[in-house]
Amino acid sequence: MKVLVVGSVGYDDVETPVGTRTSQLGGSVCYFSVAASYFTEVGLIGIVGKDFLDTDRDLLAAHDIDLSGLEVSDGKTFRWSGSYIKDINDAETVGAELNVLGDFDPKMTGLHSDVPYLFLANCDPDTQLSALDGMSDQLQLAAGDTMNHWIAEKPSPLSKLLAQLDVSVINEGEAKQLTGKSNLVDVAKAIQDLGPRDVIIKRGEYGAVWFGGDQRFIVPAYPVQNVVDPTGAGDSFAGGFMGYIGATGETDAQAFRQAVIAGSVIASFTVEGFGLDRLANLSAGEIERRFEEFAELTTFDSTHGLPLRELQLAN
Amino acid sequence: MKVLVVGSVGYDDVETPVGTRTSQLGGSVCYFSVAASYFTEVGLIGIVGKDFLDTDRDLLAAHDIDLSGLEVSDGKTFRWSGSYIKDINDAETVGAELNVLGDFDPKMTGLHSDVPYLFLANCDPDTQLSALDGMSDQLQLAAGDTMNHWIAEKPSPLSKLLAQLDVSVINEGEAKQLTGKSNLVDVAKAIQDLGPRDVIIKRGEYGAVWFGGDQRFIVPAYPVQNVVDPTGAGDSFAGGFMGYIGATGETDAQAFRQAVIAGSVIASFTVEGFGLDRLANLSAGEIERRFEEFAELTTFDSTHGLPLRELQLAN
C-alpha cells in the first residue's frame, strides 16, 4: 500500500438541478480512495454502521482499495444531505447525522502505519492528530484537509495538526477563514507559516493553485458542460494528487505540478455523475484523453517573448 | 495605426482598501490604449470636456497614442466614482455623470476608418454600432465589450452589434446575464450563436477563457500580492490582447492564445497601482519577466502521460 487515507465514509442525500439521489455512497475517503486507485495502491481508515451495504464494499474492493481499516460498528453510518439548487458550485448542507462517525478512533495497524503517503481527509482534527500519531517513521509525506466547522470549533488541535503537515489541501474560502486574509498570496504564506511547506488551494470551478517553496502552479478546472453533482470533487482532486505521488514516489516541484494535474483530471469526471457513478467507472483511455485536453487548454508558446515596441517613457 | 478603440474617457473617484483617489484619469479607452501601446500603434476615439487636463493628454501622447479622434466638447468630462471597500474584486458604482459622453457620436475620419483591428469598448451599443458602420473594408477584426446596464436597457442594438462582431470580450457575470445560462461552456456557445466566432470571458481574479471554433484556452490571473486598484483591469486585458494582434497581424488559434497571455500580463500590472499609475510606466523588462512568470505558473509536462494502473473494472 502506497497511500493511506483517513476520514469519513457516509451515505448522502443530494439535490442538484439535474435531480435527486438518496443514500448514495459518499464521504471523503470513498471519493479520495477511488480517485487514487487509478494511480496506485490505496487503503482507507474509516468507520461505518451495520447498515453499510455489501454492494458498496464491493465497489471499493473492485478498485483494489484495502478495506482492512474499515471498522464496522453498532449503529448507523454517517449521513449527510445537501442541496446544489441555489448554486451548483456551492453545497448547502441541509442536514447531517454523525452516527458512528461520532465515535471514530482510527486504529493504525502495522499494515497502515508503515505507509509512506498519508492523507488526512476532512474530519475532526483530534481524529486527524490521532491518526498521524499512529504512523511509523516510514511516513514520507503527510497531507490534510479541513473545513469551516473545525476552523471555527477546534482551532487548537487544528493548529497542532497543521504544524505537523507537509501539505495543506484546502478550499479557497476556508483558507481565507483560517488565515483571516483575503489575498491569495497572503493566504498561502500565512498557511505556510502555520507549518505546511506546500499549500494547495482548491478553487472549485476555477481550479487549483499550488504554492511550494519559491514555486507556484495554477491549473484551471476542466470546463465540464454537464455538471450533475459536485459532491466529492475536492476529495477526488486530493485522491488524484496523492495517487500520482504514490505511483511515482516523487515529491519534487515537477512531481507536484503533475500531481495537481492528475487531481484536476480525476475531479473533472466526478462532477459528471451523481456520487461515485462516473468516478468509479473510468477507463484509462478517458483519463488519458482528458489529460491531453488539459494540455490543450493551457498551452501557449513560452519560447518566444511578446512583440514589444520601444516606447520612450520617462521611467 | 493598427488598432483603433472607441469608448469612454473619464475622471474617476475611487476608494479601495489601500486608499482613495479623486479625479484620476480613467475610462475604457485610456486603459485600453495605454495597454495596447506596448505592442502596437493605437488610436482612440472618445470625447472629453473643456476640463480635460493637458497633463492627461500628454500621458496618452507619450505612449504614441493617436489622439486625433479625441473630441473636445463644451461641458464636463464623464465622471465615475466607485468603491472596492466591500470587495476588492468587485466595483460598487457610487455615482456616475455622463456629461459630454451623453452626446458622444464617434466621427470616423479616413485615418480611423482604414484601421484593420477595431475594439468597441464598453459604451452605448448604438454608439458602438455607429462606429462599426463607419469602418472601411480594410477592417479585418472587430471586437467589443459591453456591461450589465446595456444588456438590460438596450438589448436590441446590442444584439445587432453582436451579430457583426468577430470577438466578444465580456465579464463572466455579464456573459451569464446576457445569455441567461450559468454553465461556462453553455454561456460561450450561446454568445457564439449571437454572432461572434470567438468569445473571451474575463473572470477577474481567476483569469480569462477563450472559446474559438473547436479550441479553448484558459489562463489564470497572475497572483498579484499588492492589489491597489482593480479599475481598468478588464480594459487593459483587452488592450493587451488587441495590441498583440495589431503587432503580429495574426488572428489564428495560436495567435489568440498568445494574445490572451499578452492581455493577462498587462492587466496584472494595472491593478498594482491607482488608475494608470502602474500601467502607464512599464519597462520592457518588467513585461518580459511577467510573461516568463506566466509560463512558470502554468507549465507542466504534457509529453508524458499519467502513471495509470490497470484496474479490472466492469466498464
Side-chain angles (χ1 to χ4, degrees), chain A residues 64 257-258 296 301 309, chain B residues 64 257-258 296 301 309:
Chain A
D64 195 29
R257 288 173 184 260
Q258 301 304 114
E296 292 162 12
D301 177 4
R309 294 168 80 198
Chain B
D64 195 29
R257 290 173 184 261
Q258 302 303 113
E296 291 163 13
D301 177 5
R309 295 168 78 198

Side-chain angles (χ1 to χ4, degrees), chain B residues 31-33 35-37 39 119 234-244 263 266:
Chain B
Y31 286 104
F32 179 99
S33 59
S37 76
F39 302 107
F119 189 74
D235 296 312
S236 304
F237 170 86
F241 173 81
M242 294 292 289
Y244 180 93
I266 295 295

Side-chain angles (χ1 to χ4, degrees), chain A residues 291, chain B residues 300-305:
Chain A
F291 175 79
Chain B
F300 63 96
D301 177 5
S302 59
T303 58
H304 300 88

